Amino acid sequence: MNFEKIEQAFGLLLENIHTIQNQLKTGFYEAIIEQNVHYLQPDEELKGLAKNNQKVAQLELTPEEWRRTFQYLMMKGQQTEPLQPNHQATPDSLGFLVTLVIDHLFSQDFIRVLELGSGMGNLAETILLNSQKEMDYLGIELDDILVELSASIAEVLGTEGLTFSQGDAVRSQILQKDLVISDLPIGYYPDDVIASRFQVASPEGHTYAHHLLMEQGAKYLESEGYAIFLAPTQLLTSPQSGLLKDWIQSSTELVALVNLPEKMFANPQYAKSLFVFRKPSGKDFTPFVFAFNDLNNLEEIRDFQEKMEMELK
């Protein structure tokens, strides 16, 4: 990966984004979408962009270099237009970890994937660019701007097999998938009527949205499929956890629990762990449990891989 090229592309694209903001009086993220459209299909009405876009094209960025460039642009955008915590991009280190788990879990070369709450699409791109598997990958996201943004980035990167769709991921879809993934948004789901259809529904007040998404996601799984959730570390001890544990025991199996370093989260209350579920197998087994101290420690990553290969079969 050439960081000098990434830095050059970042500067050129940022200049274009500011030009678009000034000409169209639009927000930063909407300007990224416009820039991506113009990069792929130049529009003479937006003046002053073509020269920078030609320079970017001449850099011949790889898909991973493009992904990193967009990542830095998002970080720049958050300085002036902060995103709510649930819309923050999944860190690369977690994306790489999820990819390692996926490649170990599945023996087949092609898998059908559904991501619930796909946000900016960074987790999807990280997985597709680094996995050894071929995928048909669908991301469902409620925020229409994030759907447009992630779709436009995928088009620039030329990512194959990736689709984003706008919708409420809690509501039922007619889907069957080998793998369901979600960096779960944390909070309460506002529609109590919809929530009441779920086993994890709270009898009083609103139900946790992340509980509903876990139950809904598991419904889409084929018999030998898996669900990988980045969920609150205190998932099984927090309020409403009794309802969630009842659902887990009756409808699914906890295959693996990977505790993540608390220091990687800006606020300890938002700390997450990686949970892997599957439909009940009827077999006796012990879930694979691992605790990371540092996701950037290569020796620790190798230790994780070795133990996962021995214990998670």
Side-chain angles (χ1 to χ4, degrees), residues 114 138 140 171-177 216 219-220:
L114 171 66
L138 171 63
I140 297 178
R171 292 176 179 266
S172 181
Q173 312 280 333
I174 302 175
L175 299 168
Q176 284 293 302
K177 298 294 180 180
Q216 186 64 276
K219 293 176 182 178
Y220 299 134

Side-chain angles (χ1 to χ4, degrees), residues 62-78:
T62 65
E64 182 63 18
E65 287 167 348
W66 266 116
R67 188 186 71 81
R68 291 295 182 98
T69 301
F70 280 116
Q71 196 174 53
Y72 295 142
L73 286 171
M74 301 304 178
M75 293 169 63
K76 183 67 175 178
Q78 290 184 51

Side-chain angles (χ1 to χ4, degrees), residues 132-179:
Q132 300 172 12
K133 307 297 182 181
E134 184 182 351
M135 299 181 183
D136 175 27
Y137 197 115
L138 171 63
I140 297 178
E141 170 57 47
L142 183 61
D143 190 297
D144 57 344
I145 295 297
L146 295 184
V147 172
E148 289 186 54
L149 181 61
S150 55
S152 71
I153 291 173
E155 193 170 0
V156 171
L157 269 65
T159 310
E160 296 182 357
L162 176 57
T163 304
F164 294 101
S165 178
Q166 195 275 332
D168 181 353
V170 170
R171 292 176 179 266
S172 181
Q173 312 280 333
I174 302 175
L175 299 168
Q176 284 293 302
K177 298 294 180 180
D178 304 303
L179 172 63

Side-chain angles (χ1 to χ4, degrees), residues 29-49:
Y29 304 106
E30 290 87 345
I32 294 180
I33 297 170
E34 290 290 342
Q35 158 58 27
N36 289 341
V37 171
H38 186 83
Y39 181 81
L40 296 166
Q41 297 178 333
D43 182 354
E44 294 301 325
E45 293 184 8
L46 289 173
K47 299 178 180 179
L49 305 183

Side-chain angles (χ1 to χ4, degrees), residues 21-302:
Q21 284 186 280
N22 292 331
Q23 289 189 26
L24 300 184
K25 309 301 180 186
T26 189
F28 189 90
Y29 304 106
E30 290 87 345
I32 294 180
I33 297 170
E34 290 290 342
Q35 158 58 27
N36 289 341
V37 171
H38 186 83
Y39 181 81
L40 296 166
Q41 297 178 333
D43 182 354
E44 294 301 325
E45 293 184 8
L46 289 173
K47 299 178 180 179
L49 305 183
K51 184 177 180 181
N52 280 359
N53 281 336
Q54 289 171 1
K55 290 180 180 179
V56 172
Q58 290 168 1
L59 292 172
E60 298 183 336
L61 300 176
T62 65
E64 182 63 18
E65 287 167 348
W66 266 116
R67 188 186 71 81
R68 291 295 182 98
T69 301
F70 280 116
Q71 196 174 53
Y72 295 142
L73 286 171
M74 301 304 178
M75 293 169 63
K76 183 67 175 178
Q78 290 184 51
Q79 293 178 7
T80 54
E81 298 180 28
L83 294 167
Q84 59 166 289
N86 284 332
H87 288 167
Q88 301 286 339
T90 304
D92 283 357
S93 56
L94 295 185
F96 295 141
L97 178 64
V98 171
T99 304
L100 283 177
V101 174
I102 292 171
D103 286 349
H104 172 73
L105 288 175
F106 292 91
S107 58
Q108 67 265 39
D109 294 327
F110 179 80
I111 55 177
R112 296 164 299 162
V113 183
L114 171 66
E115 182 181 353
L116 304 177
S118 50
M120 294 181 177
N122 189 58
L123 179 58
E125 297 287 1
T126 302
I127 292 170
L128 285 164
L129 290 176
N130 293 279
S131 176
Q132 300 172 12
K133 307 297 182 181
E134 184 182 351
M135 299 181 183
D136 175 27
Y137 197 115
L138 171 63
I140 297 178
E141 170 57 47
L142 183 61
D143 190 297
D144 57 344
I145 295 297
L146 295 184
V147 172
E148 289 186 54
L149 181 61
S150 55
S152 71
I153 291 173
E155 193 170 0
V156 171
L157 269 65
T159 310
E160 296 182 357
L162 176 57
T163 304
F164 294 101
S165 178
Q166 195 275 332
D168 181 353
V170 170
R171 292 176 179 266
S172 181
Q173 312 280 333
I174 302 175
L175 299 168
Q176 284 293 302
K177 298 294 180 180
D178 304 303
L179 172 63
V180 173
I181 299 172
S182 184
D183 184 351
L184 292 167
I186 308 305
Y188 293 100
Y189 188 70
D191 192 327
D192 294 337
V193 174
I194 297 295
S196 66
R197 303 170 187 171
F198 289 75
Q199 185 177 335
V200 298
S202 174
E204 297 180 2
H206 294 324
T207 302
Y208 279 136
H210 46 291
H211 290 188
L212 297 171
L213 287 169
M214 292 174 71
E215 182 176 338
Q216 186 64 276
K219 293 176 182 178
Y220 299 134
L221 290 179
E222 293 283 12
S223 58
E224 296 184 357
Y226 290 90
I228 299 176
F229 297 120
L230 287 165
T233 297
Q234 304 303 322
L235 180 71
L236 301 179
T237 58
S238 62
Q240 301 184 17
S241 62
L243 296 163
L244 183 67
K245 284 187 281 190
D246 289 343
W247 168 74
I248 291 173
Q249 291 172 359
S250 65
S251 304
T252 189
E253 289 179 346
L254 177 62
V255 176
L257 170 59
V258 181
N259 289 316
L260 304 171
E262 191 174 279
K263 63 184 179 182
M264 72 181 298
F265 300 94
N267 188 330
Q269 76 180 63
Y270 296 126
K272 291 185 175 182
S273 294
L274 190 150
F275 295 80
V276 181
F277 294 94
R278 67 184 175 197
K279 289 191 173 181
S281 64
K283 302 176 183 178
D284 291 330
F285 74 101
T286 301
F288 170 59
V289 179
F290 191 91
F292 273 102
N293 292 312
D294 184 359
L295 269 178
N296 295 315
N297 185 316
L298 293 179
E299 186 175 330
E300 202 168 348
I301 292 290
R302 283 194 291 268

